[in-house]
Short mmCIF file of all heavy atoms in Angstrom, two decimals:
data_model
loop_
_atom_site.label_atom_id
_atom_site.label_comp_id
_atom_site.label_asym_id
_atom_site.label_seq_id
_atom_site.Cartn_x
_atom_site.Cartn_y
_atom_site.Cartn_z
N ARG A 130 73.70 -7.70 52.84
CA ARG A 130 74.38 -7.38 54.12
C ARG A 130 74.43 -8.65 54.99
O ARG A 130 73.52 -9.45 55.06
CB ARG A 130 73.51 -6.34 54.80
CG ARG A 130 73.48 -5.00 54.02
CD ARG A 130 72.62 -3.97 54.83
NE ARG A 130 72.54 -2.76 54.14
CZ ARG A 130 71.92 -1.64 54.48
NH1 ARG A 130 71.28 -1.64 55.68
NH2 ARG A 130 71.78 -0.56 53.77
N ILE A 131 75.57 -8.79 55.62
CA ILE A 131 75.68 -9.96 56.57
C ILE A 131 75.62 -9.37 58.03
O ILE A 131 76.46 -8.53 58.35
CB ILE A 131 77.09 -10.55 56.33
CG1 ILE A 131 77.22 -11.12 54.92
CG2 ILE A 131 77.30 -11.65 57.32
CD1 ILE A 131 78.57 -11.68 54.57
N GLU A 132 74.69 -9.91 58.75
CA GLU A 132 74.51 -9.41 60.14
C GLU A 132 75.54 -9.83 61.12
O GLU A 132 76.02 -9.17 61.89
CB GLU A 132 73.01 -9.70 60.62
CG GLU A 132 71.99 -9.07 59.85
CD GLU A 132 70.66 -9.19 60.59
OE1 GLU A 132 70.59 -9.12 61.77
OE2 GLU A 132 69.65 -9.37 59.87
N LYS A 133 76.03 -11.07 60.99
CA LYS A 133 76.97 -11.71 61.89
C LYS A 133 78.04 -12.38 60.92
O LYS A 133 77.84 -13.57 60.71
CB LYS A 133 76.36 -12.67 62.90
CG LYS A 133 75.39 -11.99 63.85
CD LYS A 133 74.83 -12.98 64.83
CE LYS A 133 73.86 -12.33 65.85
NZ LYS A 133 73.30 -13.33 66.83
N ARG A 134 79.07 -11.63 60.74
CA ARG A 134 80.18 -12.15 59.94
C ARG A 134 81.02 -13.09 60.76
O ARG A 134 81.98 -12.56 61.44
CB ARG A 134 80.97 -11.03 59.25
CG ARG A 134 81.84 -11.42 58.03
CD ARG A 134 82.64 -10.22 57.62
NE ARG A 134 83.28 -10.58 56.36
CZ ARG A 134 82.76 -10.38 55.13
NH1 ARG A 134 81.57 -9.95 55.03
NH2 ARG A 134 83.46 -10.73 54.01
N THR A 135 80.72 -14.31 60.94
CA THR A 135 81.47 -15.13 61.76
C THR A 135 82.60 -15.93 61.01
O THR A 135 82.26 -16.70 60.06
CB THR A 135 80.38 -16.21 62.39
OG1 THR A 135 79.39 -15.50 62.77
CG2 THR A 135 81.13 -16.90 63.58
N ILE A 136 83.79 -15.79 61.47
CA ILE A 136 84.91 -16.28 60.71
C ILE A 136 85.65 -17.34 61.52
O ILE A 136 85.81 -17.18 62.81
CB ILE A 136 85.85 -15.08 60.37
CG1 ILE A 136 85.15 -14.09 59.58
CG2 ILE A 136 87.12 -15.70 59.47
CD1 ILE A 136 84.61 -14.42 58.27
N SER A 137 86.15 -18.31 60.87
CA SER A 137 86.97 -19.44 61.58
C SER A 137 88.37 -18.95 61.71
O SER A 137 88.97 -18.44 60.76
CB SER A 137 86.90 -20.69 60.72
OG SER A 137 87.79 -21.72 61.28
N THR A 138 88.94 -19.13 62.88
CA THR A 138 90.34 -18.79 63.16
C THR A 138 91.38 -19.86 62.58
O THR A 138 92.45 -19.56 62.42
CB THR A 138 90.57 -18.44 64.60
OG1 THR A 138 90.35 -19.76 65.31
CG2 THR A 138 89.72 -17.43 65.18
N GLY A 139 90.71 -21.01 62.42
CA GLY A 139 91.65 -22.11 61.93
C GLY A 139 92.32 -22.87 63.08
O GLY A 139 92.94 -23.89 62.90
N SER A 140 92.33 -22.31 64.34
CA SER A 140 93.00 -22.94 65.46
C SER A 140 92.22 -23.93 66.08
O SER A 140 92.70 -24.85 66.81
CB SER A 140 93.46 -21.85 66.36
OG SER A 140 92.23 -21.23 67.02
N GLY A 141 90.83 -23.90 66.02
CA GLY A 141 90.01 -24.83 66.61
C GLY A 141 89.73 -24.48 68.10
O GLY A 141 88.93 -25.11 68.76
N GLU A 142 90.19 -23.39 68.57
CA GLU A 142 90.05 -22.91 69.92
C GLU A 142 88.71 -22.16 70.09
O GLU A 142 88.23 -21.42 69.19
CB GLU A 142 91.14 -22.03 70.40
CG GLU A 142 92.43 -22.69 70.61
CD GLU A 142 93.53 -21.74 70.99
OE1 GLU A 142 93.17 -20.58 71.23
OE2 GLU A 142 94.76 -22.15 71.14
N ILE A 143 87.98 -22.43 71.23
CA ILE A 143 86.79 -21.83 71.52
C ILE A 143 86.74 -21.13 72.83
O ILE A 143 87.11 -21.76 73.78
CB ILE A 143 85.55 -22.87 71.42
CG1 ILE A 143 85.55 -23.56 70.13
CG2 ILE A 143 84.30 -22.17 71.65
CD1 ILE A 143 84.48 -24.72 69.99
N LYS A 144 86.51 -19.84 72.94
CA LYS A 144 86.50 -19.23 74.11
C LYS A 144 85.00 -18.96 74.69
O LYS A 144 84.14 -18.30 74.03
CB LYS A 144 87.12 -17.81 73.97
CG LYS A 144 88.62 -17.87 73.70
CD LYS A 144 89.27 -16.49 73.52
CE LYS A 144 90.71 -16.53 73.23
NZ LYS A 144 91.33 -15.20 73.11
N VAL A 145 84.77 -19.72 75.83
CA VAL A 145 83.44 -19.68 76.35
C VAL A 145 83.57 -19.49 77.88
O VAL A 145 84.45 -19.99 78.44
CB VAL A 145 82.71 -21.05 76.06
CG1 VAL A 145 81.32 -21.06 76.58
CG2 VAL A 145 82.71 -21.48 74.60
N ASP A 146 82.57 -18.73 78.42
CA ASP A 146 82.49 -18.54 79.80
C ASP A 146 82.35 -19.91 80.50
O ASP A 146 81.54 -20.68 80.12
CB ASP A 146 81.19 -17.66 80.12
CG ASP A 146 81.08 -17.41 81.60
OD1 ASP A 146 80.51 -18.29 82.35
OD2 ASP A 146 81.49 -16.36 82.09
N PRO A 147 83.18 -20.09 81.53
CA PRO A 147 83.21 -21.50 82.21
C PRO A 147 81.71 -21.94 82.68
O PRO A 147 81.45 -23.10 82.58
CB PRO A 147 84.06 -21.19 83.43
CG PRO A 147 85.00 -20.14 83.02
CD PRO A 147 84.06 -19.26 82.18
N ARG A 148 80.81 -21.12 83.10
CA ARG A 148 79.56 -21.37 83.57
C ARG A 148 78.71 -21.88 82.30
O ARG A 148 78.04 -22.84 82.40
CB ARG A 148 78.84 -20.21 84.19
CG ARG A 148 79.53 -19.91 85.53
CD ARG A 148 79.00 -18.60 86.18
NE ARG A 148 79.33 -17.52 85.24
CZ ARG A 148 78.98 -16.15 85.39
NH1 ARG A 148 78.31 -15.92 86.37
NH2 ARG A 148 79.37 -15.25 84.59
N ARG A 149 78.85 -21.18 81.24
CA ARG A 149 78.07 -21.49 79.99
C ARG A 149 78.63 -22.82 79.38
O ARG A 149 77.85 -23.65 79.00
CB ARG A 149 78.19 -20.39 78.83
CG ARG A 149 77.51 -19.07 79.33
CD ARG A 149 77.90 -17.93 78.44
NE ARG A 149 77.63 -18.13 77.07
CZ ARG A 149 76.40 -17.82 76.52
NH1 ARG A 149 75.46 -17.31 77.24
NH2 ARG A 149 76.31 -18.02 75.13
N GLU A 150 79.94 -22.99 79.56
CA GLU A 150 80.60 -24.23 78.96
C GLU A 150 80.14 -25.41 79.79
O GLU A 150 79.99 -26.47 79.10
CB GLU A 150 82.16 -24.13 79.10
CG GLU A 150 82.84 -25.22 78.47
CD GLU A 150 84.35 -25.10 78.61
OE1 GLU A 150 84.91 -24.58 79.64
OE2 GLU A 150 85.08 -25.41 77.59
N LEU A 151 79.90 -25.34 81.06
CA LEU A 151 79.31 -26.47 81.87
C LEU A 151 77.93 -26.86 81.31
O LEU A 151 77.77 -28.09 81.15
CB LEU A 151 79.26 -26.11 83.23
CG LEU A 151 78.87 -27.19 84.25
CD1 LEU A 151 79.83 -28.30 84.19
CD2 LEU A 151 78.57 -26.62 85.65
N ILE A 152 77.13 -25.94 80.92
CA ILE A 152 75.81 -26.30 80.41
C ILE A 152 75.85 -26.97 79.12
O ILE A 152 75.26 -27.90 78.68
CB ILE A 152 75.01 -24.94 80.31
CG1 ILE A 152 74.73 -24.36 81.74
CG2 ILE A 152 73.60 -25.29 79.60
CD1 ILE A 152 74.03 -23.01 81.68
N ILE A 153 76.83 -26.31 78.29
CA ILE A 153 77.04 -26.92 76.88
C ILE A 153 77.55 -28.26 76.92
O ILE A 153 77.10 -29.26 76.11
CB ILE A 153 78.04 -25.89 76.05
CG1 ILE A 153 77.43 -24.56 75.88
CG2 ILE A 153 78.39 -26.58 74.66
CD1 ILE A 153 78.39 -23.50 75.44
N LYS A 154 78.52 -28.54 77.79
CA LYS A 154 79.14 -29.96 77.88
C LYS A 154 77.92 -30.94 78.26
O LYS A 154 77.98 -32.02 77.77
CB LYS A 154 80.25 -29.90 78.94
CG LYS A 154 81.49 -29.27 78.35
CD LYS A 154 82.62 -29.38 79.37
CE LYS A 154 83.92 -28.89 78.79
NZ LYS A 154 85.07 -29.00 79.81
N ARG A 155 77.12 -30.49 79.25
CA ARG A 155 76.07 -31.38 79.72
C ARG A 155 75.21 -31.72 78.48
O ARG A 155 74.71 -32.90 78.34
CB ARG A 155 75.33 -30.76 80.84
CG ARG A 155 74.18 -31.63 81.33
CD ARG A 155 74.62 -32.96 81.85
NE ARG A 155 73.47 -33.77 82.13
CZ ARG A 155 72.89 -34.63 81.16
NH1 ARG A 155 73.25 -34.64 80.01
NH2 ARG A 155 71.90 -35.37 81.63
N ALA A 156 74.74 -30.72 77.78
CA ALA A 156 73.88 -31.00 76.67
C ALA A 156 74.51 -31.83 75.61
O ALA A 156 73.81 -32.81 74.99
CB ALA A 156 73.46 -29.54 76.00
N ALA A 157 75.83 -31.71 75.42
CA ALA A 157 76.49 -32.51 74.38
C ALA A 157 76.49 -34.12 74.80
O ALA A 157 76.59 -34.87 73.90
CB ALA A 157 77.99 -32.12 74.34
N GLN A 158 76.37 -34.38 76.07
CA GLN A 158 76.23 -35.81 76.47
C GLN A 158 75.09 -36.48 76.03
O GLN A 158 75.02 -37.70 75.85
CB GLN A 158 76.35 -35.91 78.02
CG GLN A 158 77.60 -35.56 78.55
CD GLN A 158 77.63 -35.58 80.02
OE1 GLN A 158 76.91 -36.33 80.70
NE2 GLN A 158 78.55 -34.85 80.78
N GLU A 159 74.10 -35.77 75.60
CA GLU A 159 72.79 -36.20 75.08
C GLU A 159 72.91 -36.71 73.61
O GLU A 159 72.01 -37.34 73.08
CB GLU A 159 71.57 -35.23 75.22
CG GLU A 159 71.32 -34.89 76.58
CD GLU A 159 70.84 -35.96 77.57
OE1 GLU A 159 70.15 -36.85 77.12
OE2 GLU A 159 71.31 -35.99 78.71
N LEU A 160 73.96 -36.26 72.91
CA LEU A 160 74.08 -36.53 71.51
C LEU A 160 74.73 -37.88 71.25
O LEU A 160 75.78 -38.11 71.90
CB LEU A 160 74.94 -35.37 70.78
CG LEU A 160 74.33 -33.97 70.96
CD1 LEU A 160 75.18 -32.92 70.19
CD2 LEU A 160 72.89 -33.95 70.48
N THR A 161 74.16 -38.71 70.37
CA THR A 161 74.78 -39.99 70.14
C THR A 161 75.17 -40.10 68.59
O THR A 161 74.62 -39.39 67.82
CB THR A 161 73.82 -41.15 70.43
OG1 THR A 161 72.65 -40.99 69.83
CG2 THR A 161 73.53 -41.19 71.97
N ASP A 162 76.00 -41.05 68.28
CA ASP A 162 76.47 -41.16 66.88
C ASP A 162 75.34 -41.40 65.89
O ASP A 162 74.38 -42.18 66.23
CB ASP A 162 77.42 -42.39 66.77
CG ASP A 162 78.17 -42.42 65.49
OD1 ASP A 162 78.70 -41.40 65.02
OD2 ASP A 162 78.19 -43.43 64.82
N GLY A 163 75.39 -40.65 64.85
CA GLY A 163 74.30 -40.79 63.73
C GLY A 163 73.11 -39.91 63.85
O GLY A 163 72.23 -39.90 63.03
N MET A 164 73.08 -39.10 64.95
CA MET A 164 72.02 -38.21 65.06
C MET A 164 71.91 -37.06 64.13
O MET A 164 72.96 -36.59 63.70
CB MET A 164 71.92 -37.53 66.51
CG MET A 164 71.37 -38.39 67.54
SD MET A 164 71.27 -37.43 69.17
CE MET A 164 70.25 -38.57 70.15
#
Side-chain angles (χ1 to χ4, degrees):
R130 299 179 181 178
I131 298 174
E132 292 194 40
K133 295 183 180 179
R134 196 181 191 89
T135 315
I136 307 298
S137 171
T138 61
S140 65
E142 295 182 359
I143 303 172
K144 294 182 180 180
V145 184
D146 180 278
R148 293 169 296 179
R149 292 166 62 88
E150 186 177 38
L151 183 63
I152 298 172
I153 295 167
K154 285 182 175 179
R155 176 61 187 87
Q158 293 180 23
E159 301 296 322
L160 305 181
T161 58
D162 190 49
M164 275 187 170

